[in-house]
């Protein structure tokens, strides 16, 4: 749960310290009585589980045993905000009607009880029950109140979950981390062992362990960082589903929750599909074999040429000194320009090759410093016309020198008693350090017509700007007036300067090099004056490039991450051409930044592309309010049932409900289907929800929807709606629910964007949080030109299952109880409501 990250952040530690000081963490009795309530308070969900009172977040310990679905959850028995974390408990025989039980596992003086799971130890591997009466064993995170350390612990029940006893040998797994939490455990039959999936939250990793008895654990592997990494990872869940490509086989699904970083902002839940072999989880979408161009696994660069110092003399086989841990490369070695830290620069270039496949796939990481077309690398010269390069015996034809510089010419680099001069092009430059800083004078160019947009030039030396006393400057003079100027930076290094000539096109100008200063840094350096159509850009990139015919035609950079991820270049327009790859580190960390290095590996030509892991990741829910999604162990008939916390850490503790705060999503049955050839998680509400249909049904077919809003013959606070639309000419269309008193919640489809969306900007009470109003959307392609919506409306929520559960959006809404209308709408044209069925829902309470 996101609340757990309080132990990680400075802000959270302050919250925890304040809570301790206030005495909020008190021992709690498991006999805490369930409060009486009629479950009819304003905003009280009627078919979503909510506790009678107080705060609730993550679902925990989802398990089916002896005819009952057990729902444990993060619970504060003493208040309506996060704190006192214990395990609440409710049971149901049908996933719809719930009975709340006393607190199952209370916090104690030492630890709060964070998220985890429950298994039924049928074979009595723990010895905590018997084969005739197996123990229900909870595996949870014990969060130490003093140190913040998070370890994994056990509690067990031999009375069907009515009471739990904490195991005397706790903790059973402790790695000394404040960010190791949320164990999801299940029996892995192929290995005849227990498998644990847990989060290394601050590393954005999922870690896997195995055990014969739930007490002794062996580390297997880690997965990540991958997919969305905008916040700490939490509450992972790994499980198999029938492979949609071959239902006789299994495809594995890994759910990972994170906060912040969700697709709609705040907390969210993502998933990966792939394979699990008992040790490693391998995500789908890795590249197929092709023609290798460089894998860096032979202990040398294997024909690639290294220049500069950044890449060293051979590939790297691990993390370099001073570098954060690197992950994601494959094989023995990879290219890493962190040799000596971020300051060194250099290039690693491949041999030439013929482009004879459609794609080039490779791994890249490191700094996010993209290649800028036209940028100057090292001693390179920008595009344009050379006006003066000072490589002759004089300053150049028509140049005039006056004062102490009369009869002088260009300098061959550093002069006597001068610190080393660098950055100039060629072997000569203008250097007014003639006989030291004392000489003064001017060096003036011949007149020329300003016919190109920019003057690009190199300038160094003293920092005495034009307009100050005793300047050292290079000036652009038009009609006798200085219209642009540059000075040095008290440095013997020449840097590039660009002057924009747009306002002076067609006019006559001269360039004037002025040294009127005899004191410290009383000299000016100048070189390589160019006229061009673009300003000069000095390369600061950390990038991989494809170079064809001397031009960079493709480039990629890292994402300020030490994790290497796949990227692809489409080469369809370059077939038959000859090219080479350059891995460039032109960023010397000159300006005190960071990530001035690049990582790269496994370059290969292929006939298939591979999307980056960030693109391969999918979202469980595209709405704002589905977090900590986990699935049931041992559900009947092999079904995979999932629940989530219907809230968001952005505003969860401010939701204006009383005497409770938070609810669960409806239970959803999961499957996999191929959507656009990609294995996609399909979710549908459990069939048992239809038990709550109260017999009040409205059905309509083929209703034309003109531009605007069309009222429908249905209303209610709690509804089960199915609707099918064809688009007509409308740019967007759909239905409105909980309308009235200026309030409405829109569930629609945007044709241009190809997205289904929920718009809750006018859904009711939203004054408690600026991030609550808004629009959430999910990419979705119509099926045979049709949009199918299944919408569950409760007193304070909307859940949308679009196109048979291909995309799901869950949002809380807080309308007035009197806002009960239902309507259809179309924007920018017409639509057709092919069919509509609205069932009013009775209360599960």
């Amino acid at each position: 749960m996101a609340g757990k990250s309080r132990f990680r952040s400075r802000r959270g530690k302050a919250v925890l310290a304040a809570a301790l000081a206030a005495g909020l963490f008190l021992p709690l009795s498991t006999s805490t009585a369930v409060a009486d309530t009629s479950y009819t308070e304003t905003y009280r969900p009627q078919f979503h589980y909510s506790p009678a009172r107080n705060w609730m977040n993550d679902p925990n310990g989802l398990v089916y045993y002896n005819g009952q679905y057990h729902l444990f959850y993060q619970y504060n028995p003493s208040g309506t905000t996060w704190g006192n974390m214990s395990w609440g408990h409710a049971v149901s025989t049908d996933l719809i009607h719930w009975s709340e039980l006393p607190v199952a596992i209370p916090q104690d003086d030492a630890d709060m009880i964070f998220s985890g799971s429950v298994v039924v130890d049928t074979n009595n591997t723990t010895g905590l029950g018997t084969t005739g009466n197996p123990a229900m064993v909870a595996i949870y995170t014990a969060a130490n109140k003093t140190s913040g350390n998070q370890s994994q612990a056990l509690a067990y029940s031999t009375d069907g979950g009515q009471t739990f006893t904490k195991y005397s040998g706790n903790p059973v797994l402790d790695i000394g981390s404040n960010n190791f939490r949320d164990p999801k455990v299940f029996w892995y039959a192929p290995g005849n062992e227990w498998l644990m999936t847990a989060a290394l939250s601050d590393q954005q990793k999922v870690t896997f362990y195995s055990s014969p008895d739930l007490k002794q654990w062996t580390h297997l592997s880690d997965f990540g960082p991958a997919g969305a990494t905008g916040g700490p990872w939490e509450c992972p869940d790994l499980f198999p589903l029938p492979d949609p490509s071959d239902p006789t086989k299994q495809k594995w699904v890994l759910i990972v929750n994170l906060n912040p970083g969700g697709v709609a902002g705040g907390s969210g839940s993502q998933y990966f599909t792939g394979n699990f072999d008992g040790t490693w989880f391998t995500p789908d979408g890795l590249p197929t074999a092709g023609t290798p161009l460089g894998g860096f696994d032979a202990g040398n660069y294997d024909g690639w040429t290294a220049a500069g110092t950044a890449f060293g003399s051979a590939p790297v086989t691990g993390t370099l000194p001073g570098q954060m841990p690197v992950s994601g490369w494959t094989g023995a070695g990879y290219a890493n320009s962190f040799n000596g830290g971020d300051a060194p620069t250099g290039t690693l270039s491949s041999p030439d090759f013929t482009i004879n496949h459609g794609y080039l796939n490779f791994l890249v990481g490191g700094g996010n410093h993209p290649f800028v077309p036209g940028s100057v690398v090292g001693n390179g010269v920008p595009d344009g016309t050379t006006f003066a390069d000072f490589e002759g015996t004089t300053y150049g034809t028509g140049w005039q020198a006056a004062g102490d510089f009369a009869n002088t010419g260009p300098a061959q680099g550093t002069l006597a008693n001068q610190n080393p001069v660098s950055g100039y092009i060629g072997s000569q430059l203008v250097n007014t350090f003639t006989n030291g800083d004392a000489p003064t004078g001017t060096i003036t160019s011949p007149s020329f017509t300003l016919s190109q947009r920019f003057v690009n030039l190199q300038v160094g030396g003293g920092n005495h700007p034009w307009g100050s006393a005793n300047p050292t400057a290079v000036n652009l003079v038009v009609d006798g007036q200085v219209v642009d100027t540059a000075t040095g930076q008290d440095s013997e290094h020449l840097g590039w300067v660009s002057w924009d000539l747009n306002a002076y096109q067609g006019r006559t100008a001269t360039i004037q090099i002025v040294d009127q200063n005899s004191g410290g840094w009383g000299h000016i350096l100048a070189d390589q004056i160019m006229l061009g159509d673009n300003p000069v850009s000095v390369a600061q990139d950390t990038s991989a490039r494809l170079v064809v015919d001397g031009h960079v035609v493709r480039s990629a950079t890292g994402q300020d991450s030490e994790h290497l991820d796949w990227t692809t270049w489409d080469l369809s327009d370059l077939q038959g051409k000859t090219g080479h790859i350059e891995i460039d580190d032109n960023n010397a960390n000159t300006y005190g930044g960071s990530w001035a290095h690049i990582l790269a590996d496994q370059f290969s030509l292929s006939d298939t592309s591979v999307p980056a892991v960030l693109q391969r990741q999918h979202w469980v829910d595209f709405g704002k309010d589905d977090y900590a999604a986990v699935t049931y162990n041992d559900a009947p008939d092999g079904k995979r049932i999932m629940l989530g916390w219907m809230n968001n850490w952005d505003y969860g503790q401010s939701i204006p409900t009383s005497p409770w705060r938070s609810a669960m999503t409806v239970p959803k049955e999961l499957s996999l289907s191929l959507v656009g050839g990609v294995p996609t998680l399909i979710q549908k509400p459990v069939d048992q929800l239809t038990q709550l249909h109260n017999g009040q049904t409205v059905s309509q077919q083929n209703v034309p929807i003109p531009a605007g809003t069309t009222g429908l013959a249905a209303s209610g606070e709690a509804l089960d709606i199915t609707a099918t639309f064809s688009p007509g000419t409308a740019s967007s269309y759909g239905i409105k629910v909980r309308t009235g008193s200026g309030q409405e919640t829109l569930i629609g489809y945007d044709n241009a964007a190809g997205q289904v969306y929920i718009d809750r900007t006018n859904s009711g009470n939203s004054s408690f949080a600026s991030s609550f109003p808004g629009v959430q959307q999910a990419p979705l392609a119509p099926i045979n030109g049709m949009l199918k919506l299944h919408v569950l409306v409760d007193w304070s929520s909307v859940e949308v299952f679009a196109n048979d559960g291909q995309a799901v959006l869950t949002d809380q809404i807080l309308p007035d109880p009197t806002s009960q209308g239902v309507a259809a709408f179309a924007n920018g044209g017409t639509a057709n409501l092919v069919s509509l069925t609205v069932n009013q829902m009775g209360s599960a309470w």
Side-chain angles (χ1 to χ4, degrees), residues 398-452:
W399 284 76
Q400 299 292 324
D404 294 329
F405 306 130
N407 302 315
T408 64
Q412 294 186 352
T414 306
L415 297 173
N417 300 315
Q418 187 176 23
N419 289 326
V421 176
S422 62
Y424 58 96
I425 305 298
S427 60
Q428 297 187 156
L429 74 158
V430 174
N431 184 345
T432 67
F433 196 74
T434 305
N435 297 319
D437 275 330
T440 61
T442 59
I443 303 168
T444 305
S445 79
S447 298
F448 61 100
T449 300
L450 298 177
S451 59
Q452 291 178 280

Side-chain angles (χ1 to χ4, degrees), residues 319-358:
T319 300
L320 291 171
Q323 188 173 24
M324 293 184 291
V326 178
S327 62
W329 83 90
T330 65
Y334 68 103
N336 184 343
S337 72
F338 197 77
N339 284 274
D342 271 333
T345 60
T347 299
L348 187 62
S349 301
S350 79
D352 285 343
F353 57 88
T354 300
I355 299 172
N356 55 10
H357 292 267

